[in-house]
Amino acid sequence: MTVDIGLLVVVAVLVSCGVYLLMERSIVKMLLGLLLGGNGVNLLLVLAGGGAGNAPIIGSDGRIYDTDADPLAQAMILTAIVISMGLAAFVLGLAYRAFTATNTDDDVEDDPEDTKVGLRGEAESPLRDRTADPVTGRITRAGDQFGPANASEEP
């Protein structure tokens, strides 16, 4: 099987531009990056599906090609196109709703609660409960103090 290097370069450019746009803060730029990356992956699936071939229908006559075309790659690409169009419509609806609600640009801002979670210390970790030593953070022999003392006891 031969692969067209020029199309592989086009795939690489589409995916890399898509990833670059996905890292932006604007919702529209993120959507464009998602669409560019999706089109690059679709083109990669076309390349992976092989070269041109006869229609994969039993009973077709007039064979022009030596082999049959692979219908799986075509079906996956058609499904990906439908999903990406639905996703694009959904994200554009979200962007429009955000614009009408706030009348500002479409930049995604940092969530203040997420920033608080990132800055909190080890003592406030959700992995710690009352069984952890408050000084060292190690689990003590006190057991789980939220439930009954024994597993056989009923609450």
Side-chain angles (χ1 to χ4, degrees):
M1 181 174 134
T2 60
V3 178
D4 188 7
I5 299 298
L7 284 178
L8 282 178
V9 169
V10 170
V11 167
V13 168
L14 283 174
V15 171
S16 61
C17 289
V19 168
Y20 175 76
L21 285 173
L22 274 173
M23 292 187 293
E24 294 291 326
R25 303 291 275 180
S26 170
I27 293 176
V28 174
K29 287 182 182 178
M30 284 189 247
L31 175 63
L32 290 175
L34 191 65
L35 292 176
L36 272 178
N39 287 334
V41 170
N42 288 344
L43 187 57
L44 183 65
L45 285 173
V46 166
L47 290 173
N54 197 22
I57 301 171
I58 296 176
S60 70
D61 51 346
R63 293 195 177 265
I64 299 171
Y65 301 103
D66 294 335
T67 61
D68 290 339
D70 185 14
L72 181 63
Q74 297 171 12
M76 288 177 62
I77 292 167
L78 285 174
T79 304
I81 289 170
V82 170
I83 291 171
S84 67
M85 286 298 111
L87 183 68
F90 179 71
V91 171
L92 283 175
L94 285 177
Y96 177 73
R97 176 71 176 126
F99 176 74
T100 57
T102 61
N103 288 332
T104 59
D105 56 357
D106 64 341
D107 286 342
V108 178
E109 298 178 9
D110 290 333
D111 184 19
E113 293 297 321
D114 189 35
T115 305
K116 286 180 187 176
V117 169
L119 294 176
R120 74 179 170 195
E122 181 66 29
E124 300 172 358
S125 172
L127 300 176
R128 295 186 56 175
D129 59 4
R130 291 189 297 175
T131 62
D133 185 22
V135 177
T136 63
R138 295 186 185 140
I139 302 298
T140 62
R141 293 186 174 205
D144 189 6
Q145 297 179 6
F146 294 110
N150 288 330
S152 61
E153 290 181 14
E154 293 186 26

